[in-house]
Amino acid sequence: MPAPISERKLANAIRVLSFDAVQKANSGHPGAPMGMADIAEVLWRKFLKHNPADPNWYNRDRFVLSNGHGSMLIYSLLHLSGYDVSVDDLKSFRQLHSKTPGHPELGYTPGVETTTGPLGQGIANAIGFAIAEKTLAAQFNRDGHNIVDHHTYAFLGDGCLMEGISHEVCSLAGTLKLGKLVFFYDDNGISIDGDVEGWFTDDTQARFEAYGWQVIKVDGHDADAITKATNDAITETTKPSLIICKTTIGAGSPNKQGLAISHGAPLGDDEIALTRDALSWKHAPFELDEEIYQAWDGKAKGTALQNNWQADFENYKKAYPELAAELERRLQGNLPADFNQKAQDYIQQMQEQGGDVASRKASQNAINVLQPLLPELLGGSADLAGSNLTLFKGAKGIQDDDAGNYIYYGVREFGMTAIANGIALHGGFIPYVATFLMFMEYARNAVRMGALMKQRVIHVYTHDSIGLGEDGPTHQPVEQLTSLRTTPNLRTWRPCDATESASAWVEAIKSKHNPSALIFSRQSLPHQQRDAEQVSNITKGGYVLAKEQSELQAIIIATGSEVGLAMQAYETLSQNGVGVRVVSMPCAEIFVEQDASYREAVLPANIRARVAVEAAHVDYWYKFVGLDGKVIGMTTYGESAPAEQLYKEFGITTEAVIEAVTSLV
């Protein structure tokens, strides 16, 4: 009987596949995969609960490579473990349309749980996974039936810990006592610019202990020490764990290990030959012994784990059929069968009820109605809940109740948003998060990552313009709407009254593969009259709110609080015999997706006299009014004063709209 293969040799398989792929691509980062290979071998072969034959098995452990530049590490692991990642896929590393892109990308590679590129966000996604697991377990597990029961593991590096988001989210993770969260820190002391001691001298152990984490230090190349540390981390159930692994970047390379040169560039053919000799590796590039594949293959073990879980779930179904059906529905991302009808009834109720209301209050009213229909709606705010009105009747913070439905994120806009991406990725919840529109800027990259991954996260942004008044230009958004609207896959809604606010919420909830940004006002907005067709057309993103009373001569396009101004101008212009219509465009991205005949019916191409009005930067609207049209809005920052004074100061008035239309007609 042949002697068992050493753990070091199994780890070396990761090293050689990684540097071979980087060398073939002539691009990539070999240092981290080589340095973390021993840690990865221990975690993936001894602890990680997963099934390469079914990467989407629900109760799998989640693994996140936060230091995503080391992507050949995860690709090697997936290939060795038996996922549908072939040698040819490894040879196609960083090539167009391959399964092995430069950084791990959700949807490209089976077994990749989240897109990681910008450092630190993988940490936040992992914390989102852990929050979702803990909360879903509290909502659905019953005595003797731990149907939701898995760990979240993440690898991270110095760069992840230098990014500010790491503080935001790791602080919260300690507060939430996420005992099934285990991080492995690749403490190699090197970044692209060299030895990090010149710019990163934090006491990481003390920092995380202050957060409330268990911290363990090990030699990251000692398999026995890594095994013991991982066992200790799993045993600790009331604290998240950070395992600080002292490693050598590029481990195994005789001339480049421990140096920044191995971080982000191929080793080179000569150094690879020397490294093969140093590792006693006799095979040609991308070739491995069959016994290595057999030792790594995780399909049999993973299938057994999944089958055992499935048997437990069948017993759970018999004991708790309604709970099981609800869990399955939520994990599939489907809405309740009666949701759409009840939601439409509520929208119609808002139209019939009328009344002037700030859209932030209309939003809260909508949440109060929709949340009882959707127990998966998991809300949260970066503080400010009393201002952005995101707390709803029956809200229970998960800080106080593990089975709760609301997260008090504290002042952590970036961290909150990236955590919400992780919650959505995990499944079982539709997360919404909230802050002032201005502070979307802190969260901007996480908003983009959610859109890139097509995750159903709802971003609630209030205090949407100079209309917030006295807080002044630091709090008054100007360019933010344009930034959001030009983000691919993101749907940005700026409703003008309670009816449009309710519609925006419903459409965001139904938007399974798009995040949404819901933009709400601080100030009260007038209710608009609509017939049934107009109410229905809100879902098309733009529609004719007020029809011309004589032959059409001009069009006014408006959103949000400025729809009221447009309607006032419409009344005066119509009385003066001008054939003008008002188009409300709460979601321009959806409007441009409509068929050409509908767009033409709303914005006839032959009507060149067009005016757009919005208390935000003017540039976005020229795509709708043309260079010959006029846009009334902002080209500078705001000022500190009451809202009504600011609208006059910056010329966003009914009179300005009338004058603009008249000049064009």
Side-chain angles (χ1 to χ4, degrees):
M1 186 175 184
I5 305 175
S6 71
E7 289 187 83
R8 178 56 55 82
K9 185 174 182 179
L10 293 172
N12 285 344
I14 299 172
R15 292 186 168 97
V16 296
L17 287 174
S18 296
F19 65 61
D20 280 344
V22 171
Q23 188 65 31
K24 187 174 189 305
N26 196 29
S27 175
H29 299 73
M34 295 173 71
M36 298 194 78
D38 299 300
I39 308 165
E41 184 273 329
V42 169
L43 176 63
W44 277 64
R45 292 189 63 252
K46 294 183 180 179
F47 294 97
L48 194 69
K49 184 174 66 176
H50 65 125
N51 185 7
D54 184 1
N56 297 317
W57 167 42
Y58 166 67
N59 204 44
R60 66 192 182 278
D61 290 337
R62 277 27 175 211
F63 173 78
V64 176
L65 184 69
S66 184
N67 46 344
H69 55 270
S71 55
M72 268 312 304
L73 175 62
I74 192 170
Y75 299 149
S76 298
L77 289 165
L78 294 169
H79 169 70
L80 290 165
S81 299
Y83 286 80
D84 184 18
V85 178
S86 68
V87 168
D88 285 339
D89 292 324
L90 301 186
K91 291 178 180 179
S92 297
F93 178 53
R94 290 190 162 223
Q95 304 309 300
L96 184 63
H97 302 315
S98 78
K99 286 184 181 178
T100 51
H103 290 76
E105 299 278 353
L106 182 72
Y108 283 67
T109 318
V112 168
E113 302 282 3
T114 181
T115 297
T116 52
L119 293 177
Q121 287 196 61
I123 294 176
N125 295 164
I127 290 170
F129 287 141
I131 289 172
E133 190 277 339
K134 184 177 182 180
T135 306
L136 205 65
Q139 292 179 358
F140 284 94
N141 287 353
R142 295 296 182 267
D143 288 344
H145 297 279
N146 291 327
I147 298 305
V148 182
D149 181 17
H150 55 81
H151 283 76
T152 300
Y153 300 98
F155 284 1
L156 53 127
D158 291 302
C160 294
L161 292 182
M162 282 186 263
E163 292 286 358
I165 191 173
S166 69
H167 165 68
E168 293 185 30
V169 299
C170 293
S171 165
L172 184 61
T175 298
L176 295 178
K177 304 183 188 317
L178 300 178
K180 289 185 176 179
L181 180 68
V182 181
F183 284 176
F184 295 82
Y185 165 33
D186 180 26
D187 182 16
N188 62 41
I190 296 292
S191 67
I192 288 178
D193 281 352
D195 191 329
V196 300
E197 286 190 3
W199 46 86
F200 184 52
T201 58
D202 300 14
D203 185 338
T204 300
Q205 177 174 351
R207 171 185 168 187
F208 275 78
E209 287 174 345
Y211 292 153
W213 289 55
Q214 172 182 233
V215 180
I216 306 166
K217 282 189 167 184
V218 298
D219 177 349
H221 301 297
D222 183 336
D224 291 338
I226 298 164
T227 300
K228 181 181 184 306
T230 308
N231 272 317
D232 290 345
I234 292 171
T235 302
E236 172 55 73
T237 60
T238 63
K239 295 179 179 181
S241 294
L242 176 71
I243 303 176
I244 299 176
C245 304
K246 192 63 183 174
T247 64
T248 300
I249 193 169
S253 168
N255 298 309
K256 295 188 177 182
Q257 66 180 5
L259 302 176
I261 195 172
S262 72
H263 176 99
L267 295 182
D269 291 333
D270 292 343
E271 186 65 17
I272 283 178
L274 293 173
T275 304
R276 276 189 152 77
D277 287 342
L279 299 178
S280 299
W281 199 268
K282 307 302 182 184
H283 301 293
F286 299 104
E287 290 185 5
L288 302 177
D289 289 334
E290 184 58 33
E291 62 179 355
I292 290 178
Y293 279 118
Q294 291 176 1
W296 264 104
D297 193 351
K299 292 193 292 294
K301 179 181 176 183
T303 298
L305 286 169
Q306 183 171 352
N307 288 342
N308 290 339
W309 178 85
Q310 192 63 48
D312 291 341
F313 189 62
E314 293 304 318
N315 291 330
Y316 178 74
K317 279 184 176 180
K318 293 174 184 177
Y320 303 98
E322 292 182 0
L323 273 178
E326 176 69 0
L327 178 59
E328 287 182 314
R329 177 190 70 77
R330 286 172 56 171
L331 293 179
Q332 292 164 1
N334 298 327
L335 300 177
D338 60 352
F339 173 79
N340 194 57
Q341 185 58 56
K342 289 182 177 180
Q344 295 307 314
D345 290 346
Y346 174 66
I347 293 169
Q348 187 58 41
Q349 178 188 340
M350 289 299 94
Q351 183 58 39
E352 294 170 357
Q353 179 177 307
D356 298 353
V357 63
S359 55
R360 62 171 175 160
K361 181 60 180 176
S363 167
Q364 185 181 47
N365 293 341
I367 300 171
N368 279 327
V369 170
L370 298 173
Q371 199 283 330
L373 307 178
L374 292 168
E376 62 263 46
L377 204 59
L378 182 61
S381 180
D383 212 53
L384 300 175
S387 293
N388 57 42
L389 303 184
T390 47
L391 279 171
F392 52 89
K393 296 174 184 175
K396 295 185 296 182
I398 65 170
Q399 283 86 343
D400 302 314
D401 184 342
D402 288 346
N405 50 24
Y406 193 86
I407 302 173
Y408 291 90
Y409 282 103
V411 187
R412 299 179 174 97
E413 294 89 355
F414 190 8
M416 167 185 74
T417 307
I419 285 172
N421 288 339
I423 292 171
L425 286 161
H426 178 277
F429 294 101
I430 300 174
Y432 74 81
V433 292
T435 186
F436 291 176
L437 177 56
M438 187 66 250
F439 303 135
M440 176 278 296
E441 294 290 355
Y442 283 138
R444 181 73 186 91
N445 200 263
V447 174
R448 182 181 187 273
M449 293 300 290
L452 180 64
M453 294 187 284
K454 302 180 180 179
Q455 293 304 297
R456 180 164 47 181
V457 177
I458 302 172
H459 307 280
V460 178
Y461 297 131
T462 66
H463 296 61
D464 68 344
S465 70
I466 58 172
L468 68 87
E470 292 86 344
D471 275 336
T474 61
H475 284 52
Q476 293 166 5
V478 172
E479 70 276 25
Q480 285 65 39
L481 279 167
T482 295
S483 176
L484 291 168
R485 286 173 176 144
T486 55
T487 302
N489 299 331
L490 181 68
R491 296 314 190 30
T492 301
W493 290 84
R494 188 171 184 248
C496 74
D497 64 2
T499 305
E500 285 190 359
S501 297
S503 294
W505 261 106
V506 172
E507 292 307 302
I509 288 167
K510 291 164 61 177
S511 186
K512 194 171 184 178
H513 301 295
N514 300 85
S516 300
L518 309 184
I519 315 298
F520 298 120
S521 72
R522 177 180 185 270
Q523 71 271 35
S524 182
L525 306 181
H527 174 71
Q528 303 298 334
Q529 295 298 320
R530 300 174 186 82
D531 59 27
E533 182 180 8
Q534 289 171 313
V535 171
S536 176
N537 283 342
I538 294 172
T539 63
K540 296 179 179 179
Y543 63 101
V544 178
L545 176 62
K547 299 176 182 178
E548 59 277 10
Q549 297 179 16
S550 56
E551 183 180 354
L552 181 60
Q553 297 173 275
I555 301 171
I556 305 171
I557 306 170
T559 78
S561 49
E562 286 66 67
V563 169
L565 296 180
M567 290 299 293
Q568 291 172 0
Y570 167 84
E571 295 295 336
T572 299
L573 289 164
S574 296
Q575 290 170 10
N576 292 338
V578 179
V580 63
R581 70 170 50 167
V582 173
V583 171
S584 177
M585 197 172 289
C587 186
E589 303 83 51
I590 292 179
F591 176 74
V592 299
E593 293 174 357
Q594 303 306 306
D595 60 62
S597 61
Y598 179 78
R599 298 197 309 271
E600 172 66 17
V602 175
L603 297 176
N606 66 320
I607 305 300
R608 309 290 293 177
R610 299 183 184 186
V611 175
V613 54
E614 184 178 64
H617 202 282
V618 299
D619 280 3
Y620 178 81
W621 289 102
Y622 286 105
K623 67 188 289 183
F624 291 104
V625 304
L627 294 178
D628 295 329
K630 294 194 173 182
V631 183
I632 296 169
M634 299 292 292
T635 57
T636 68
Y637 296 115
E639 294 285 350
S640 179
E644 61 275 11
Q645 294 179 23
L646 292 173
Y647 273 82
K648 291 179 182 178
E649 173 71 16
F650 291 102
I652 306 174
T653 62
T654 300
E655 292 75 18
V657 177
I658 293 170
E659 181 181 345
V661 172
T662 302
S663 70
L664 293 173
V665 171

